[in-house]
């Protein structure tokens, strides 16, 4: 599996080539997205602290809404490439995962797995405690279909929105803890921690 930013059919995007659908691949995808977010933050911090901002006549608020260099975080999309003999640009069905970011804080607000990975046969059971919830996925290994169902389950719950910090411990069908999803600031940001 290879992930890189490139242009296919005149569309620049982050593409996942030879997608593997397992926990190890999910961890690699998350690391790539985290690196993209850190890279964006580094560029913006450098611009904010350079003569570029000091010498512009616009205020910071005016500048961030302009068409020049972006000073806010942008969501991270990862796609599979379109078909081998297709001249189409990526479509919704090519979306693997999207990291929605807080534009100002460069934190992850939500993670959306592409609709093509929806599988209602995968069940997620939960048991809640004070500051955490154990989620058990009905598959032997965590994959994109399981991750889709996990985030659907989390979106329907409000546990993480009621606590300053709340953790979802994700277990596979073998009762192995494969992932922790840590929400902070009453659910306004999250981090993934693969095991």
């Amino acid at each position: 599996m290879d992930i890189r930013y490139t242009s296919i059919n005149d569309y620049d995007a982050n593409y996942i080539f030879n997608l593997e659908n397992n926990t190890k691949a999910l961890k690699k995808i998350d690391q790539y997205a985290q690196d993209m977010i850190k890279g964006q933050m580094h560029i913006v911090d450098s611009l904010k602290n350079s003569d570029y901002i000091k010498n512009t006549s616009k205020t910071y608020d005016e500048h961030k809404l302009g068409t020049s260099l972006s000073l806010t975080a942008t969501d991270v999309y990862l796609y599979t490439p379109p078909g081998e003999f297709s001249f189409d640009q990526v479509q919704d069905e090519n979306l693997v995962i999207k990291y929605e970011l807080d534009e100002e804080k460069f934190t992850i607000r939500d993670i959306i797995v592409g609709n093509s990975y929806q599988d209602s046969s995968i069940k997620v059971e939960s048991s809640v405690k004070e500051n955490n919830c154990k989620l058990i996925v009905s598959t032997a290994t965590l994959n994109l279909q399981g991750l889709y169902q996990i985030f659907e389950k989390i979106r329907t719950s409000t546990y993480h929105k009621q606590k300053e910090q709340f953790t979802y411990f994700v277990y596979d069908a073998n009762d192995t803890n494969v992932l922790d999803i840590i929400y902070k600031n009453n659910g306004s940001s999250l981090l993934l921690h693969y095991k």
Side-chain angles (χ1 to χ4, degrees):
M1 185 173 90
D2 182 33
I3 307 171
R4 64 182 181 267
Y5 183 83
T6 191
S7 180
I8 296 178
N9 299 333
D10 295 325
Y11 188 78
D12 297 341
N14 296 298
Y15 292 99
I16 303 173
F17 297 91
N18 303 314
L19 175 66
E20 297 169 12
N21 194 0
N22 55 40
T23 308
K24 184 179 176 183
L26 293 177
K27 185 175 184 177
K28 185 175 181 177
I29 290 168
D30 183 62
Q31 185 59 54
Y32 181 87
Q34 293 292 338
D35 291 345
M36 291 291 294
I37 295 165
K38 286 177 188 170
Q40 287 183 37
M41 190 166 56
H42 176 73
I43 290 168
V44 170
D45 285 346
S46 295
L47 288 172
K48 284 181 183 177
N49 295 320
S50 71
D51 290 337
Y52 174 74
I53 292 295
K54 294 173 188 162
N55 292 330
T56 184
S57 59
K58 297 180 181 180
T59 66
Y60 172 71
D61 288 334
E62 291 171 331
H63 182 83
K64 72 180 181 183
L65 299 173
T67 57
S68 58
L69 294 171
S70 175
L71 293 177
T72 59
T74 56
D75 297 341
V76 177
Y77 293 81
L78 291 114
Y79 297 96
T80 54
E84 186 176 345
F85 298 107
S86 172
F87 295 105
D88 295 333
Q89 294 181 346
V90 294
Q91 306 292 323
D92 286 342
E93 63 265 14
N94 299 111
L95 178 67
V96 175
I97 197 164
K98 172 186 174 185
Y99 284 67
E100 284 187 358
L101 304 181
D102 180 301
E103 291 181 348
E104 300 294 324
K105 298 178 184 171
F106 290 84
T107 57
I108 303 167
R109 286 187 309 171
D110 197 7
I111 295 177
I112 298 167
V113 178
N115 285 334
S116 59
Y117 298 99
Q118 181 178 359
D119 183 352
S120 59
S121 69
I122 297 175
K123 303 297 179 206
V124 179
E125 296 180 21
S126 64
S127 62
V128 182
K129 293 185 179 176
E130 179 67 23
N131 287 327
N132 62 65
C133 177
K134 181 178 180 179
L135 300 174
I136 303 170
V137 183
S138 65
T139 57
T141 182
L142 182 62
N143 58 20
L144 285 162
Q145 290 81 354
L147 196 62
Y148 181 96
Q149 296 298 5
I150 288 166
F151 279 107
E152 287 300 306
K153 180 88 167 180
I154 289 172
R155 280 185 199 93
T156 61
S157 70
T158 58
Y159 308 123
H160 58 284
K161 294 179 181 177
Q162 300 169 359
K163 302 284 183 183
E164 183 63 29
Q165 182 167 328
F166 191 88
T167 304
Y168 290 92
F169 298 108
V170 179
Y171 288 78
D172 61 19
N174 300 320
D175 203 34
T176 303
N177 181 215
V178 291
L179 170 66
D180 295 343
I181 304 171
I182 305 159
Y183 280 87
K184 295 184 178 181
N185 304 320
N186 297 86
S188 65
S189 68
L190 72 95
L191 285 172
L192 301 181
H193 177 69
Y194 285 93
K195 304 296 178 166

